Amino acid sequence: MTFASSLSDAQPVPFWLEDPGKPAALPALTGDERTDLLVVGGGYSGLWTALLAKERDPRRDVVLVEGREVGWAASGRNGGFCAASLTHGLANGLARWPDDLARLEELGARNLDAIEAAVARYGIDCDFERTGEIDVATEPYQLDELRALHEEAGRLGFGGLELLDRDAVRAEVDSPTFLGGLWDRQGVAMLHPARLAWGLKRACLDLGVRIYENTRALDLSPAGAGMAVRTSYGRVFARRIALGTNVFPSLVKRIRPYTVPVYDYALMTEPLSPAQREAIGWRNRQGLGDSANQFHYFRITADDRILWGGYDAVYPYGGKVTAEMDHRPETYLKLAGQFFACFPQLEGLRFTHAWGGAIDTCSRFSAFFGTAHGGKVAYAAGYTGLGVGATRFGGDVMLDLLDGERTERTELAMVRKKPLPFPPEPVAWAGIGLTKWSLARADARGGRRNLWLRTMDRLGLGFDS
């Protein structure tokens, strides 16, 4: 079987969004609404913010508007890795916030525990499994880097990471490409991403949040003592507003240069047969990711399919988010070839779904926060592909900022300071293109980073999916 034939039946739609449990869309807003808190965006960021707002104060009136349907964008088409890390991994946290890292790790662990508790409390059926994640090395230099990170984590007192040699990692998941790995046993859960979004939607409704779908927020303006958001068929007047729009252009225009969209793509296989499962192992059902700059992420689903995604990170010129970019056959073909190189024992397996979507990337790889309009509007953006878990933390930060509270979250340098913005076009296009070329070259040269990447490292800049 050629790699191309494995894709012949693949449907160009996100696997998760075809789930039969998908709820019907709620009506659009028509006319005017008034509320204490308006949440803009029906992905994880907005849903967690609305839910937490009602948990903090059940009397607070909350409205959420979503331009399409809840969970249709990144929240319904990601890999389903729900990580404790708020910093896009320990290494990025060490490089950027060493003084706050212990607190960031503690807050991240508490945040993941709170997500697990909320899933149980609200009865959200999203296949939540606290299986952890293994970062695997497929080149000797990557194994050296994982070993150094493990040693540094131990020196700093961060437990829960287990270094695996070649035999140990292949005993967990068998691929001839694996040379070793670093297993975070407790810091990552696997879940069905769309069902999490739909479950949060139901929980919000049960607590009294009014949700309007197919209601695009068009602009933001002061209105008396509060703010007003104009929508397609009406307006919402609110005392406070939380923006969870992430990859889509912010209603606070000065924030737009801080993020760029990066398109990421994934494949989903048909369910594995018992013999195929036996051939690869994977009995502990961890998430996996390889350690290259152009990396893959992969996991096994509740019905024994394999999701395989990543590698290409495609930036559209001008940073425009368009439906045409949601599919890229040349990337699907590349991913299929790389899948069978990783798992040659699965030759003959077919892919049933292939899709893509946009991630909001910022130059420090992890979320940033702030307020506008005299503290009446808060925003969080830039999660860079690690938002399944971190968006709940971001919702707490936005509510802290809107309530004017000083908390252990708002005192963090990560919250108080922003990343560097991306430059305007055509400089952004040229710089991102050079960075992608340099990252691919580093992967091919044993991890050696050229002058451009070393300069970006010194400036604290980056580009990642």
Side-chain angles (χ1 to χ4, degrees), residues 315-320 425-426 429:
Y315 169 70
Y317 184 87
K320 293 182 179 178
E425 297 292 14
W429 171 261

Side-chain angles (χ1 to χ4, degrees), residues 252-270:
V252 178
K253 293 182 180 179
R254 61 182 168 83
I255 298 305
R256 295 180 183 179
Y258 288 90
T259 62
V260 296
V262 175
Y263 278 83
D264 181 54
Y265 300 91
L267 305 176
M268 185 71 84
T269 73
E270 63 190 344

